[in-house]
Amino acid sequence: MERYPINLNEYAELAKKILPHNIWDYIEAGRGDEISLNRNTQIYNEVFLRPNKMTDISNIKMSTTILGDKTSFPLMIAPAGGHTFCDDDGELSTIRAAKKENIIAGVGTNSSYTIEDIANETDTPLWFQIYHLTKEIDEMLVKRAEKSGYKVIVLTVDGPVPGMDHLRPKERDIRNAFVNPPNTERVNLIGEIAGLGYKHGDTQVQLGGLNPDDQLLWEDINWFKSLTDLPIVIKGLLSAHDAKKAVQYGADGIVVSNHGARGVDTLMPSLQSLPEVVKAVDGKCEVYLDGGIRRGTDILKALAFGAKAVMIGRPFYWGLAVGGENGVRDVIQILKEELEVAMKYCGITDVENINPDLLSYNFS
Ligand SMILES: Cc1cc2nc3c(=O)[nH]c(=O)nc-3n(C[C@H](O)[C@H](O)[C@H](O)COP(=O)(O)O)c2cc1C
């Protein structure tokens, strides 16, 4: 029997057939005309590889460490809410797959299983992502994540801003009159452990149902650092200016990201921002990238530009929709195989030793 799906694009195609139309749209949507969404993936096709031939490729090293934790190759699961849109076990399936494939997993505040339930499920390194909501909630979440053994706090700074979420949803969601299904509640905000008084069904615990009470400023990084001994990674930066600020305020890592183009349209595609961020950081913290990675060659290009690792978001929803935990594992394995082949063809023997000489491109 013919094998299908065999690559991430085919995973998307099949997931689209399986998922209800409004759920597919919710996951896939970018903002506005989806210019950034399309550019996030297309830009990889404008970067070409300049291989080194006749080098000894008998030993290829794909494993590396990310903030001190081992990974089988430099791919992480992007933190994202609502994996239960696609699979009843949601984030639990995702992290089981991450464990079996030995990669690090991001877990979002908006996950449909609690910080503690997810941590109890695995000993794979987990990174906990938060959006600023209120200082009280931020502190509660950071403390719970640290206590549960998470390795890193990811502070997403390109997410909701005060008052935005209800102002104008993404256009696909307006068209579909999209309402979050009940199994995608933000359970981390419910119950005695959260201490907020919210119950199942409250609007505040629905995805997007609680907005930040004020703005997050660079000085607040000092406050976040005072809450925890864990490393802090700032997610959602696109410029040299902000990268320098992140270093100045002591970030341990930066995720170059436009949030999968879900925040505002025509933001720079993340790959286009990567060179200036890497240059600005000048080795003072680790740099990661997400947005539009769909092929092993995409990972190779991001690493060559100076990313220590990449994250992916939507392809794991597709994996979950197609095959639950096994679908997520397959997505990871496909990318790993593709990266290995690309490395061998380009004469690259170590993921930690790739430089921009590999690349031919023409954007700035
Ligand atoms: C459905 C969905 C939900 C997301 N939720 C979050 C979230 O809660 N927190 C966050 O930092 N990023 C979130 N993201 C963004 C991802 O972490 C990541 O930046 C993005 O998906 C990467 O782009 P890609 O989907 O093209 O790989 C979400 C993305 C999607 C598609």
Side-chain angles (χ1 to χ4, degrees), residues 27 78-81 129 131 156 235 259 262 290-292 294 313-314 317:
I27 294 164
Q129 173 270 329
Y131 292 115
T156 299
K235 176 171 182 279
H259 208 106
R262 294 167 79 77
D290 76 18
R294 304 292 179 258
R314 291 178 182 83
Y317 291 86

Side-chain angles (χ1 to χ4, degrees), residues 26-29 37 40-41 78-82 85 108-111 129-131 154-156 158 207 235 255 257-262 290-294 311-315 317:
Y26 175 80
I27 294 164
E28 203 51 24
L37 180 71
N40 266 0
T41 46
F85 279 121
T109 288
N110 292 348
S111 61
Q129 173 270 329
I130 77 168
Y131 292 115
V154 179
L155 178 60
T156 299
D158 64 355
L207 289 178
K235 176 171 182 279
V255 187
S257 170
N258 61 18
H259 208 106
R262 294 167 79 77
D290 76 18
I293 300 252
R294 304 292 179 258
M311 294 178 163
I312 62 173
R314 291 178 182 83
Y317 291 86

Side-chain angles (χ1 to χ4, degrees), residues 51-175:
N52 300 322
K53 304 314 285 183
M54 299 176 77
T55 54
D56 180 2
I57 50 161
S58 45
N59 282 312
I60 297 282
K61 184 174 155 297
M62 300 179 77
S63 63
T64 185
T65 56
I66 307 173
L67 285 179
D69 277 313
K70 286 195 188 125
T71 178
S72 59
F73 75 117
L75 173 78
M76 289 186 273
I77 295 185
H83 281 187
T84 43
F85 279 121
C86 300
D87 172 71
D88 285 345
D89 277 1
E91 293 80 9
L92 299 180
S93 294
T94 312
I95 55 148
R96 287 178 196 135
K99 166 74 186 159
K100 288 184 181 145
E101 299 304 324
N102 291 309
I103 66 166
I104 295 168
V107 174
T109 288
N110 292 348
S111 61
S112 319
Y113 287 88
T114 63
I115 294 173
E116 293 76 16
D117 286 347
I118 291 172
N120 287 336
E121 187 71 29
T122 187
D123 57 1
T124 208
L126 299 175
W127 290 18
F128 185 69
Q129 173 270 329
I130 77 168
Y131 292 115
H132 168 58
L133 290 171
T134 67
K135 285 204 166 171
E136 179 199 7
I137 298 179
D138 298 351
E139 180 167 357
M140 177 269 293
L141 293 169
V142 168
K143 296 250 148 99
R144 280 170 64 188
E146 182 161 16
K147 193 166 169 219
S148 305
Y150 286 70
K151 306 301 284 289
V152 169
I153 300 295
V154 179
L155 178 60
T156 299
V157 297
D158 64 355
V161 291
M164 186 203 79
D165 255 21
H166 294 295
L167 205 57
R168 192 167 166 81
K170 292 183 273 308
E171 292 189 5
R172 295 196 204 203
D173 297 336
I174 299 176
R175 197 168 295 118

Side-chain angles (χ1 to χ4, degrees), residues 191-224:
E192 216 171 292
I193 193 162
L196 302 169
Y198 298 140
K199 302 181 302 302
H200 290 286
D202 285 349
T203 50
Q204 292 92 335
V205 303
Q206 310 306 314
L207 289 178
L210 183 67
N211 271 322
D213 65 345
D214 56 13
Q215 297 173 65
L216 188 67
L217 304 176
W218 281 110
E219 296 73 50
D220 294 315
I221 301 297
N222 292 327
W223 177 77
F224 271 101

